[in-house]
Amino acid sequence: MTDAVRIGNMSGFYGDRVSAMREMLEGGELDYLTGDYLAELTMLILGRDRLKDPSLGYAKTFLRQLEENLGLALDKGVQIVTNAGGLNPHGLAVAIRELAGRLGLDAQVAFVSGDDLMKDATKLGLGNPLTANAYLGAFGIKTALDRGADVVVTGRVTDASLTVGSAAAAFDWGHEDLDALAGAVVAGHIIECGAQATGGNYSFFTEIPMGHLGFPIAEVGRDGSSVITKHDGTGGAVTVGTVTAQLLYEVGGPRYLNPDVIARLDSIELEQLSPDRVAVRGVQGENPPRDLKVSLNFLAGTRNELDVVLTGLDIEAKAKLFEEQFRAVLPAEPAELTFELARTDARDAVTEEQASALLRVVARDPDPAKVGRPFSAAAVELALASYPGFTMTAPPGSGAPYGVFEPGYVDAALVPHRVTQPDGVTVSIEPSPLRAAAAVDGDSPPPVRRDFGPTSVAPLGTIAGARSGDKGGSANIGVWVRSDDEFAWLNQTLTSELLGELLPEVAELTIRRYALPNLRAVNFVIEGVLGRGVADNVRFDPQAKGMGEWLRSRPVPIPVGFLSSGSES
């Protein structure tokens, strides 16, 4: 047994850099290599694949990566753990065994299943979804690794479970090792999104040697503490800032729920040990929740859309005219019809593109006939009979099916968590005996106010970083600064009310606010801003990826001392 194991990441989503598996295997020493391929939208995509061909439903990219790198991983003794199995982990495991046979390799392959609840969805009160997958924990992965699996394929597990299962196997943790498990959850959350931990999507990117970013590594210790790093000579950087940004990605309150433990995000301590090495310590764990979250995707109907170009003067009047005419010529108005005007035009523009705005029109209906040819024909028929300069960015299409996401919850005892070993023996994994009702995080109370002296109006991002993302139909924005005094100011200044003023689109929605002093951060959860999930909503930024940067661009009165002194990253 060692004091620490090196767990790398090679994928943050289905479509991430294909060469990352080889780069991670060739770049330096690793004990485990994880790959995250699943997101709520990905499950819908895989669900459509499975409807067309029941043998599919997994991330085909992973199989192509493995064809080039399985022999290298076996030679180096690196065990691979991935959720690329998606909706069909058994199918992917069979494909890997066939691949290994063709390559003449002796690879021990195991797969974790039981997350797919489709057959029992109605009985469990989950309705009639296209996909229904419970987020499983880490102990199926641990069991597979304990039995000597070279490759472990899972369906829907929590993203962090890939790291937790690897560390739990290395140190033989049990359910009672809550702090260690919580530390591994935090390490897994940091590395799960690949290069986001090494400078990708980072607010202060001009301070980072950007380019071909390296993927992150968590050196996880026996007590669950970790050091986040990357292979020597790779691009990007690992700093307290890049780690903080990723810690704030797609989280809610201080309690970060996972099937095996609740990790307290407000207990995390970060320290820059040396270049590209950040220590993560002090993480406290609580008993895991009784229920598992379930990712539910439903087919909701057909969607069609078009972008109308409006150029020059009278933009608002042109948009109004087109909307009135378009509604009038539609044979039957769809169940949902939205018009969103994006004022991308500039006054006295020197190019036609800069003089133009876009009117986005989106139609949705359970009946594909209402948003297919009639929708497209209505737009085309107005080409010579509407506002001056009428044009579209592209001809309207015939529409496509779309889905909606809903979260569900099921008692973990009702979910058949299983792992099928390389020898074909299937083992049942019991849920944690420590499960309990999880406490609900309330909004953080307002701090004691301080006077920070004279202020000057400047964009919030002058001193603050932000990271935002989707959480089902909601979005989160984590905002952090880089000194204790700046945090004291941020915590008293950036309230939910001010956030609504700065981002008028969310002003009427429910906003939850949580302070995380150890990270010098505040996190906001904006409920319902994304409607019924990424595949459904028609917002300009459907996954809220840029919402944090929008917030950073907004001017606020900032203490002059912060603007003049600067802060260390």
Side-chain angles (χ1 to χ4, degrees):
M1 298 291 287
T2 60
D3 291 329
V5 290
R6 285 170 62 89
I7 304 172
N9 171 278
M10 62 180 175
S11 175
F13 67 101
Y14 192 11
D16 210 344
R17 194 160 80 215
V18 175
S19 62
M21 182 184 290
R22 177 166 293 276
E23 292 170 15
M24 291 301 287
L25 288 170
E26 292 182 340
E29 293 301 313
L30 291 175
D31 297 294
Y32 303 92
L33 183 58
T34 64
D36 178 16
Y37 291 78
L38 302 183
E40 291 158 1
L41 180 60
T42 312
M43 301 302 283
L44 178 62
I45 294 170
L46 296 178
R48 291 175 181 170
D49 286 351
R50 188 171 64 174
L51 284 176
K52 297 175 185 176
D53 183 348
S55 70
L56 296 179
Y58 55 78
K60 298 185 287 288
T61 304
F62 173 75
L63 197 60
R64 294 198 296 271
Q65 291 173 294
L66 208 59
E67 185 170 6
E68 299 178 2
N69 298 291
L70 180 56
L72 179 59
L74 294 174
D75 289 344
K76 296 181 70 92
V78 177
Q79 293 171 284
I80 296 175
V81 182
T82 178
N83 61 14
L87 300 177
N88 190 5
H90 181 204
L92 180 55
V94 170
I96 294 170
R97 292 183 186 123
E98 292 173 349
L99 171 65
R102 293 197 304 272
L103 298 175
L105 300 172
D106 180 17
Q108 302 298 303
V109 183
F111 68 92
V112 176
S113 61
D115 61 294
D116 192 340
L117 304 180
M118 278 294 293
K119 292 182 179 178
D120 297 318
T122 302
K123 184 173 66 176
L124 294 170
L126 301 174
N128 186 29
L130 173 66
T131 67
N133 295 83
Y135 288 79
L136 301 180
F139 279 86
I141 295 169
K142 175 185 184 298
T143 300
L145 294 171
D146 287 345
R147 293 286 189 93
D150 299 305
V151 181
V152 182
V153 171
T154 78
R156 203 26 158 155
V157 298
T158 66
D159 299 342
S161 288
L162 304 174
T163 297
V164 178
S166 301
F171 300 117
D172 197 27
W173 293 335
H175 289 293
E176 70 283 357
D177 295 308
L178 292 176
D179 288 347
L181 291 169
V185 164
V186 170
H189 177 57
I190 294 169
I191 70 170
E192 73 190 32
C193 288
Q196 279 196 169
T198 62
N201 294 333
Y202 184 55
S203 291
F204 303 109
F205 68 95
T206 57
E207 302 173 4
I208 299 292
M210 299 293 286
H212 194 75
L213 301 185
F215 274 59
I217 299 166
E219 297 177 353
V220 181
R222 190 181 303 276
D223 62 353
S225 63
S226 62
V227 173
I228 309 302
T229 185
K230 62 186 183 69
H231 284 321
D232 291 340
T234 58
V238 179
T239 69
V240 168
T242 66
V243 171
T244 298
Q246 178 55 27
L247 282 170
L248 295 173
Y249 184 58
E250 295 181 346
V251 296
R255 290 178 170 86
Y256 189 54
L257 275 61
N258 264 251
D260 303 309
V261 67
I262 295 174
R264 294 296 303 245
L265 301 182
D266 53 357
S267 65
I268 300 170
E269 300 170 6
L270 302 178
E271 181 186 358
Q272 190 81 46
L273 300 178
S274 58
D276 296 325
R277 293 183 63 80
V278 173
V280 184
R281 308 187 186 97
V283 185
Q284 298 172 9
E286 296 178 347
N287 290 355
R290 288 198 182 99
D291 295 341
L292 298 182
K293 183 179 178 180
V294 183
S295 173
L296 301 171
N297 282 287
F298 298 84
L299 283 178
T302 302
R303 180 168 73 180
N304 204 348
E305 59 186 78
L306 58 95
D307 289 316
V308 179
V309 182
L310 313 163
T311 305
L313 304 175
D314 306 316
I315 296 294
E316 302 280 350
K318 290 172 179 174
K320 184 174 183 292
L321 172 61
F322 178 82
E323 179 176 348
E324 291 172 349
Q325 290 180 311
F326 188 74
R327 288 184 184 274
V329 298
L330 280 174
E333 187 159 313
E336 298 178 70
L337 184 61
T338 62
F339 295 80
E340 184 177 329
L341 178 61
R343 293 300 303 264
T344 53
D345 54 306
R347 295 183 62 183
D348 193 23
V350 295
T351 68
E352 183 178 342
E353 184 175 5
Q354 292 174 0
S356 300
L358 292 176
L359 178 65
R360 188 179 185 214
V361 186
V362 180
R364 294 178 289 192
D365 199 283
D367 181 359
K370 289 186 179 181
V371 296
R373 190 180 183 284
F375 177 87
S376 301
V380 173
E381 289 171 4
L382 290 171
L384 304 180
S386 189
Y387 62 86
F390 180 99
T391 188
M392 293 181 285
T393 58
S398 58
Y402 76 98
V404 297
F405 167 83
E406 290 183 12
Y409 296 89
V410 172
D411 188 324
L414 301 178
V415 177
H417 188 174
R418 298 182 295 264
V419 56
T420 301
Q421 306 293 350
D423 58 7
V425 175
T426 298
V427 179
S428 293
I429 306 299
E430 296 299 320
S432 172
L434 304 179
R435 292 178 302 131
V440 177
D441 290 318
D443 288 11
S444 298
V448 177
R449 299 194 65 81
R450 289 171 48 186
D451 181 6
F452 292 91
T455 62
S456 178
V457 174
L460 177 63
T462 306
I463 67 167
R467 176 67 60 80
S468 58
D470 57 298
K471 292 179 64 63
S474 300
N476 93 294
I477 307 177
V479 185
W480 82 95
V481 288
R482 301 188 281 189
S483 74
D484 291 339
D485 282 345
E486 288 176 348
F487 172 70
W489 170 81
L490 180 76
N491 193 27
Q492 76 176 33
T493 301
L494 192 55
T495 62
S496 297
E497 292 73 22
L498 179 57
L499 185 77
E501 294 176 19
L502 296 175
L503 307 183
E505 289 181 11
V506 309
E508 302 303 317
L509 300 174
T510 298
I511 301 173
R512 307 292 183 193
R513 180 186 183 277
Y514 308 101
L516 299 168
N518 280 16
L519 301 179
R520 300 188 183 113
V522 291
N523 187 48
F524 297 92
V525 177
I526 305 164
E527 297 184 1
V529 67
L530 302 182
R532 293 180 292 174
V534 174
D536 169 64
N537 89 85
V538 296
R539 191 177 176 276
F540 170 72
D541 176 15
Q543 293 180 284
K545 302 301 186 186
M547 191 176 283
E549 288 302 297
W550 177 27
L551 175 62
R552 293 183 68 238
S553 74
R554 300 289 282 157
V556 295
I558 298 175
V560 173
F562 299 158
L563 296 173
S564 60
S565 64
S567 301
E568 295 183 2
S569 60

